Amino acid sequence: MCPPLWIAAWVLLLHGCAAGRVPQAPSTRNDIRDCSVDPPYLPPTATNTTARLAALRGTMRTHGALAYIVPSTDAHMSEYISERDARLGWLTGFTGSAGTAVVTQDKAALWTDSRYWTQAERELDCNWELQRTTSIESIGMWILKAVPAGGNVSLDPFLFSIDTWNSYSRVLHGSGRTLIPLETNLVDQAWGDQRPLPSSTEIYSLPAEFTGSSWQEKVAGIRQRMEQHARRPTAVLLSGLEETAWLFNLRGDDIPYNPVFYSYTLLTNTIISLFVEGSRLSVAARESLRSGCPGPLCVELQEYGQVSAHLRRYTQGNVTVWLGTEYTTYGLYGIIPQEKLLEENYSPVMMAKAVKNAREQEMLRAAHVRDAVAVIQYLLWLEKTVPQGQVDEFLGAQHINALRWAQDHSRGPSFQTISASGLNAALAHYSPSNGSSRTLSAGEMYLFDTGGQYLDGTTDITRTVHWGEPTPLQKEAYTRVLMGNIDLSRLVFPSHTAGRTVESFARRALWDVGLNYGHGTGHGIGNFLSVHEWPVGFQSNNVPLEAGMFTSIEPGYYRDGEFGIRIEDVVLVVEAQTEHQSGETPFLTFEMVSLVPYDRNLIDLRLLSPEQIRYLNSYYERIRAHVGPELRRQRLEEEYEWLQKSTQPFPVNGAGTAAAGTLVLASLLSVLLGGLGA
Amino acid sequence: MCPPLWIAAWVLLLHGCAAGRVPQAPSTRNDIRDCSVDPPYLPPTATNTTARLAALRGTMRTHGALAYIVPSTDAHMSEYISERDARLGWLTGFTGSAGTAVVTQDKAALWTDSRYWTQAERELDCNWELQRTTSIESIGMWILKAVPAGGNVSLDPFLFSIDTWNSYSRVLHGSGRTLIPLETNLVDQAWGDQRPLPSSTEIYSLPAEFTGSSWQEKVAGIRQRMEQHARRPTAVLLSGLEETAWLFNLRGDDIPYNPVFYSYTLLTNTIISLFVEGSRLSVAARESLRSGCPGPLCVELQEYGQVSAHLRRYTQGNVTVWLGTEYTTYGLYGIIPQEKLLEENYSPVMMAKAVKNAREQEMLRAAHVRDAVAVIQYLLWLEKTVPQGQVDEFLGAQHINALRWAQDHSRGPSFQTISASGLNAALAHYSPSNGSSRTLSAGEMYLFDTGGQYLDGTTDITRTVHWGEPTPLQKEAYTRVLMGNIDLSRLVFPSHTAGRTVESFARRALWDVGLNYGHGTGHGIGNFLSVHEWPVGFQSNNVPLEAGMFTSIEPGYYRDGEFGIRIEDVVLVVEAQTEHQSGETPFLTFEMVSLVPYDRNLIDLRLLSPEQIRYLNSYYERIRAHVGPELRRQRLEEEYEWLQKSTQPFPVNGAGTAAAGTLVLASLLSVLLGGLGA
């Protein structure tokens, strides 16, 4: 799946996943809405927010806030959020995944990035200005105009990252406006009893067969990291939902697509405090957590809402709290006295989770084999049914989801299925909806970016196909995207190389002819956790690559209003066998974990180098070796035949770079043969 | 020239120019000195620092400083410093370019990186502990042990970057020790009248034929940037010596190798204040600066020492001062109230200087043509004289310096000449000294990394040669270094790509077989200014690449105790001609500016791809076209012949990757021909 837009604006500009260039300055394009006429013209998709705004403004007056900032995140900096946390959506009507609203007594504005401009125009009513940028500087300038000097600007500090808080603070610094963190969330007050209730479904233990190690081993490992750290932290604070889920081998379903549950953890050198709605724990989960009580491996269950108070008490002592700033809100961070803080970008749990052990690797590989079966079934089904003109994007999405559900250990899709035909695929994040979905045809390219949750691993794969006659540009672009995928996948590099310093290998074949793509090149992935698992990947805020990490590799090319191409595979970082050795640690390379062939119809073999073709052929051998037996086991004979056909080795001497030298000899040969024949 | 070790520790670890891996933890190796015996054993190169330390400790007592920190930089964050600023060297005896000393009443320690450990052991006496790391955390821990709680730790804030100050401040925060900035420099007090006097040589205007634009145009350009900036700064503060020199088209010789002079500039929207020893200005320079007086293009000359007082007065008004944090000391920074600061990594002058205009490009190209003549003369001279066994590294260095001096507009070397034979070349920064210099021979490789200052441009080039029979590993490593140089040089990439995201193209051919190098891949270069001109280059703290920037490209390979290879060329960022267009700005690539052929004796053609060979051949055509006529003009006929021979095109179908496909046909052909012949 295309990497998410990350919070920091500079990452957005460099690595935004929106198709094409993300504009740096607000656009001057026309709005779909016409708020200058009376009554205003609004599309039927707009939400009337007058009453909601009035309610919020009432709570703002009570708290003396002249402006109130509402973000799109939750208290755990989650990528996906629950309905209960969709405050921005409720207040504004805008349902895009990223944006910021600011409300004063007489103004309201929403900031969002180019992926969402059209959607925002369709969903906002005339109470809202749409600001086509996401820079905090722009939000700050707007606030400075809207709020007189001496006024207070408020926000809920538990919904802002430390970085974002600092950015607002810097923008307002010295301006006479004061940034006030309000622990009461004013949107929640306005929302009142209409706000969805917290999830009450069961939180369960992963069966032992699906865990890489016991939670006790994981806790011991983290405590060892604490002891080995020069600053000797006495505790680790976990705010990211995946962190607690991973550490205790627990799962839940509070958030769509990610099997996590609302929680915090404070792990000290002697005590383990898990902040969670305890009544939701399954009997087995509770027993597992309490099995070491009393003692250092006893998990003390605390109310989810008590984390701040508990942390405040804990940090009165002679302690040092280690936390990852990327997943901690300013609200919790601010509780800890500066000298008792050990800040790193990512907590030791995030760092430990990033490197999969042998068992976790084996599970992720196994999940990808079964996942490949579902994708191959889908490709064959498309090949047979698309020509009849009865498949649209939505039906396709439903079908692949169903094929995945039929695989062992399936727990549904790992993100909203992207199924995009023709020009729709030019929007990198497009998902079809029932009723407004494009019909697939042999006349255009089709891109699907899909993934599954399985108890043993999370998957994510993108294939782009064409059943008819692709244009020369489509074929060239597809081949160059594939070359990028191959060039990065087969790269050999030193241990601890930062992903951002090698991701251009996935772009070079496109760059060579003036093409590019406007999103990141890959992201980590979990064992039945997030499909975007930080901190692994190729962006600036990712950590260096180490053996045992999984990441996607997903170059693409998008042509506005015409077509979109993306080829995505999950790969595992492994040790490389090199001719020489230098340094103390072996060099690394990638092992392909996704196992689905590419579309032969879209490959222009003449562009590939012999090395690229050899690599492709060895990948295809690998697919046959791993997926073939599984297809047979599942008695999918037609799919097995399809796979054999689709993974025929390519001729290496068809390669373009060999052409020049070969051509000379070939023509000489034909002259000679001609001579012989004559 | 190999990029310098930059100040921040993380850059040091990633990009340190030391050969091989820069260790992260202090080493436990033995010291050359033996301070455990009485009297201690010291090499004859050690300096007795007892009296100097006693003097410093006296001044420390007067100022109540329990510890005093002494850095290696000057007040302008210069890479090279004058003798007068060599405080660390005077105090410790250590003459390496990077280090930090801390002195208490009974202890003294020096921190330096692995390049300098041996040198430090040879130069320090037993008053000094040698700490084999440069992490500020380590310095901080040492201070915490040496200074009791409640004690003051002092430093001269005008010798520390903002970042470094903040790091010390963080390390001591909450520890009960207070970091006190002392404007009086205690080393200078102790040094007393032994300290070298300030330079008194003339500061002169560059002749108009050697400037890219007049200083008035440059000032107008910077003022335009100020007006266009969202924060509307009222002034720009310049601390970097190159900034002032570039802005006013002035040069001096206060610092070895860099033609700059001690100065600061405060450029406001109405007034230009140049802080400099005014009596040193040439008549022409003074006239040029005063030609617009009175008025907004009048340069007001102020005493160099008045900059702090002036800045303090200026910032009492309603002003905003724009500065680049990388070149500003904490001393000046701290004077400006936070809300009146506009901080960016680099000042607008640094940013403007980085992009050369057409005239500046032409001048830098011209300087490199003449420089190529000197290097080609040197290569031919070596070829003829080395076999006689009479050339050593030092003599070689003298000879190439002399050849450069003979070229038009020469102003001497642009850095200390690196001339290293055999195992000496494994030390990336090795420079020979008279008397301890290795003899060049046909039995080993020779690396020279040299550059010149010319009135029209600064040059920097490295070639590695072998006059005998290189080992297979030497040949493979050389070829792979060359492949890296070619791969990065011929890269096509989008405008504003960050250098650090593409520098691995220079490493891939080495990585493929498990080899690598431990330094950065390139650095900007000036028009008769610094050989390391920030902020251009391939490191993390460099700015994105734009057309008009010059950078070196210099992959290498070093084998401890055996040999060293580096191939360095200066290139210009230019627009690329691409088959397709995407986005609004054209794609970029590099134009080769250095024009000297590589050693054919060290190239294994079978490793190169046909594209690499074609690129090499077109580069050689370019050398012939540009340097050939200049050799003829200078009547260097033997060198001309040498050039023709050395730039013969390579056969493209000798390329390794084409071999497989070609071989099949070739053997078929030989069978057929055999058949015919039979």
Side-chain angles (χ1 to χ4, degrees), chain A residues 528-557:
Chain A
F528 189 35
L529 273 173
S530 289
V531 72
H532 288 155
E533 187 177 89
W534 293 81
V536 175
F538 295 98
Q539 300 194 198
S540 334
N541 53 351
N542 291 133
V543 299
L545 295 163
E546 277 182 60
M549 290 177 168
F550 284 78
T551 176
S552 71
I553 290 183
E554 46 182 308
Y557 175 68

Side-chain angles (χ1 to χ4, degrees), chain A residues 21 476 491-492 494 500-501 504-505 508 511 513-514 516 579-580 582 587 611 614 657 660 662 665 669 672, chain B residues 476 491-492 494 500-501 504-505 508 511 513-514 516 579-580 582 584 611 614 657 660 662 665 669 672:
Chain A
R21 204 178 63 90
E476 175 174 15
L491 187 72
V492 173
R500 68 173 179 281
T501 66
S504 345
F505 287 101
R508 188 181 50 173
W511 285 358
V513 292
N516 198 10
E579 190 184 325
H580 305 283
S582 63
F587 275 45
E611 287 83 0
R614 277 188 215 108
T657 51
T662 311
L665 282 171
L669 193 64
L672 279 166
Chain B
E476 175 174 14
L491 187 71
V492 174
R500 68 174 179 280
T501 66
S504 352
F505 286 101
R508 189 181 50 173
W511 284 358
V513 292
N516 198 11
E579 189 184 325
H580 305 283
S582 63
E584 286 149 28
E611 287 83 0
R614 278 187 214 109
T657 52
T662 310
L665 281 170
L669 193 63
L672 279 167

